[in-house]
Amino acid sequence: NLKIELPVRSLSNVYFDEKNGLIQMGDKTSQRYYLNVAHTKKFMQTLLVAAECKKIMDQKVTTSIRDLYYALKRTIPQTKENTFEDQSESDPIIEDVEAMLNTLREKLHLKADRKGYMAGKVVLHDSGDRINCSKMGSSGWAIPSDVEEEVIKFDDVKADYVLVVEKDAVWQRLNEDKFWKKQKCIIITGKGQPARGARRLVNRLHKEFHLPVYVLADADVWGYYIYSVIKQGSINLSFLSDRLGTPDAKYVGLTTQDVPKFGIPQNVTIKLNKGD
Amino acid sequence: NLKIELPVRSLSNVYFDEKNGLIQMGDKTSQRYYLNVAHTKKFMQTLLVAAECKKIMDQKVTTSIRDLYYALKRTIPQTKENTFEDQSESDPIIEDVEAMLNTLREKLHLKADRKGYMAGKVVLHDSGDRINCSKMGSSGWAIPSDVEEEVIKFDDVKADYVLVVEKDAVWQRLNEDKFWKKQKCIIITGKGQPARGARRLVNRLHKEFHLPVYVLADADVWGYYIYSVIKQGSINLSFLSDRLGTPDAKYVGLTTQDVPKFGIPQNVTIKLNKGD
């Protein structure tokens, strides 16, 4: 009976490491069996993903996790069954393969959809081009999915700190005013929950240039969650917390305690819904 | 009984203009009454949006449609009723106000969330910065929401055509190979259905530089839909078709006729679902 052994990435195998302030993965593993009705689909999916990674690595090209999903998605002939129903099925399998091989998905030649923008006092090299993030007009520099040292090399960092802004709208406002110029800082938005690229970039700027990191987020559960992920990493990607988390990050912005303190009127609040 | 008069933006007031190849808006109007239980919420929302636009215009700043939504969203005191439930309620109201005033939302100082990237043989000016789209590394130039002449000025366009790519993954692949260099073209992706910024950019490149436009989309209903919107405009934004549609755009990529023609195996197909 064929099996795949892989680290458990769920809450049950994750702990908060007080000392370094990061969410870390324990050493529990689980098995995925070919001949187990409950496992067999995931077993197939794992092999499909691993084989496709091998193929693109042999071809010396890269692909995106979305393209990988499309490349592997098909309806199994004579059935109504798809190999993958949507990308939310293939993405966790990619993370499984990463964790299993103790590697980064970038090393498997995979990229993700990009999300997030940066502007400010940084000059960097991206795939051979020199990019001055203080000359990027109204849109800023689009943060690529892979910001590892092989792709992004910092050239000239003249900032005093990094400001991570939850909302793109707020980021655009700050960029319009060239806030990063007046304040000598770098402004980054992840457009909501930042993708790995933006989190890794913050982590690198903090580690390599000792820049303080501030997170400007909403005073609600989503804002705090985004802050916590930037600071401590996430449960899902606990095996990458060293690279993605920035434990020294500080929260800036309104807090719920500020509401009575500054006499903020109750009629600007929004009630929680079930999702919150 | 207070009322607002506005053009009907639904299918019933939209026709396909054969001559110019665009979806156009007719001249039907509808009324929104304050003292009509079915209208009163939308009436309030329309006034909230219009008043907020007036406010930001007076302040000489811009905001995003998402920020506008957040600025206006609140729970009405002593009720469980929100002014807006989510952004899908405020966005159509903005379009109503645009159509009503026969203007562009950019002129109301509104921007949208950005989406889409461009690379290739173009140099342009964006808010005072000079941007060379052939020196933008792995991520390309992030297309801003507002690409009107006041913001984006083309400086040097050395391309033979524009290729609009449905999928960001495919775009990243083409950009990695510097396809735009070999082919002397401009590659644009809207990451699925392009936002107004990307559609307007395609329209401007076609009109101002007579560049042919090709759309590389999937051979499925979504791919054809994206192609049709780039070509003819959309029902919702029929009042903007002149600015957003490019009737001369051509489809490139596989079609369903190619399946038997090239003997493409049936096991790479994906069955349609109800949404399709």
Side-chain angles (χ1 to χ4, degrees), chain B residues 75-216:
Chain B
T75 304
I76 298 170
Q78 268 93 52
T79 72
K80 293 190 155 196
E81 199 69 42
N82 286 335
T83 49
F84 293 91
E85 214 45 66
D86 58 50
Q87 207 188 330
S88 65
E89 283 191 346
S90 60
D91 284 356
I93 301 278
I94 294 171
E95 287 161 8
D96 285 345
V97 174
E98 272 186 286
M100 210 161 76
L101 302 176
N102 192 20
T103 186
L104 280 179
R105 92 184 152 197
E106 287 77 12
K107 311 271 182 207
L108 300 171
H109 291 211
L110 294 178
K111 287 188 285 204
D113 250 23
R114 289 157 295 161
K115 212 176 75 153
Y117 304 91
M118 176 163 110
K121 298 283 189 183
V122 193
V123 178
L124 50 85
H125 288 274
D126 174 1
S127 321
D129 294 329
R130 186 174 183 275
I131 288 167
N132 183 341
C133 295
S134 62
K135 297 265 180 210
M136 296 298 286
S138 54
S139 38
W141 177 59
I143 300 172
S145 138
D146 184 356
V147 298
E148 297 301 318
E149 291 86 348
E150 299 87 48
V151 181
I152 304 297
K153 290 181 197 5
F154 295 114
D155 190 4
D156 193 12
V157 177
K158 285 234 170 62
D160 292 334
Y161 64 92
V162 175
L163 183 68
V164 184
V165 183
E166 176 186 349
K167 294 226 169 356
D168 188 33
V170 178
W171 186 96
Q172 288 194 50
R173 199 72 266 286
L174 292 173
N175 188 47
E176 193 178 347
D177 294 342
K178 295 207 195 289
F179 176 81
W180 45 264
K181 199 172 194 171
K182 288 176 220 162
Q183 279 278 313
K184 240 183 127 187
C185 66
I186 296 167
I187 58 171
I188 292 180
T189 179
K191 294 183 77 169
Q193 184 63 268
R196 286 161 65 153
R199 279 145 69 188
R200 175 70 176 140
L201 199 68
V202 170
N203 172 295
R204 283 193 61 194
L205 285 166
H206 177 70
K207 269 193 198 154
E208 297 171 27
F209 300 94
H210 311 288
L211 297 183
V213 171
Y214 301 99
V215 180
L216 175 58

Side-chain angles (χ1 to χ4, degrees), chain B residues 42-93:
Chain B
K42 278 209 166 176
F43 187 95
M44 167 203 60
Q45 291 176 332
T46 314
L47 287 192
L48 280 173
V49 166
E52 189 71 13
C53 289
K54 169 87 168 61
K55 192 179 101 188
I56 58 167
M57 288 168 76
D58 285 347
Q59 292 177 349
K60 295 194 200 313
V61 295
T62 67
T63 192
S64 76
I65 56 172
R66 190 158 179 81
D67 222 20
L68 184 86
Y69 155 67
Y70 279 117
L72 296 177
K73 176 173 184 167
R74 64 192 65 128
T75 304
I76 298 170
Q78 268 93 52
T79 72
K80 293 190 155 196
E81 199 69 42
N82 286 335
T83 49
F84 293 91
E85 214 45 66
D86 58 50
Q87 207 188 330
S88 65
E89 283 191 346
S90 60
D91 284 356
I93 301 278

Side-chain angles (χ1 to χ4, degrees), chain A residues 111-259:
Chain A
K111 288 189 284 205
D113 250 23
R114 290 156 296 160
K115 211 177 74 153
Y117 304 90
M118 177 163 108
K121 297 284 188 183
V122 193
V123 178
L124 50 84
H125 289 274
D126 174 1
S127 320
D129 294 331
R130 186 174 184 276
I131 288 166
N132 184 342
C133 296
S134 63
K135 297 265 179 211
M136 296 299 285
S138 54
S139 39
W141 176 59
I143 301 172
S145 138
D146 185 355
V147 297
E148 297 301 315
E149 292 84 349
E150 298 88 47
V151 180
I152 304 296
K153 289 181 199 5
F154 294 114
D155 190 5
D156 193 12
V157 178
K158 284 234 170 64
D160 292 335
Y161 65 92
V162 175
L163 183 67
V164 185
V165 183
E166 175 185 350
K167 294 229 169 356
D168 188 32
V170 178
W171 186 96
Q172 289 193 48
R173 200 71 265 285
L174 292 172
N175 188 47
E176 193 179 347
D177 294 342
K178 295 206 195 289
F179 176 82
W180 46 264
K181 199 170 193 173
K182 288 177 220 162
Q183 278 279 314
K184 242 184 124 187
C185 66
I186 296 167
I187 58 172
I188 291 179
T189 180
K191 293 182 80 168
Q193 185 65 267
R196 284 161 67 152
R199 278 145 69 187
R200 175 71 175 137
L201 198 68
V202 171
N203 172 296
R204 283 192 62 194
L205 285 166
H206 176 71
K207 270 195 197 152
E208 297 171 29
F209 300 93
H210 310 287
L211 298 183
V213 171
Y214 301 99
V215 180
L216 176 58
D218 280 356
D220 63 18
V221 284
W222 294 107
Y224 294 145
Y225 177 53
I226 286 170
Y227 170 53
S228 85
V229 167
I230 292 170
K231 195 177 171 74
Q232 302 159 351
S234 66
I235 292 168
N236 242 338
L237 299 179
S238 57
F239 60 103
L240 292 175
S241 290
D242 291 341
R243 286 167 169 271
L244 299 182
T246 307
D248 295 329
K250 298 270 181 298
Y251 178 87
V252 288
L254 278 178
T255 66
T256 46
Q257 289 93 315
D258 293 335
V259 176

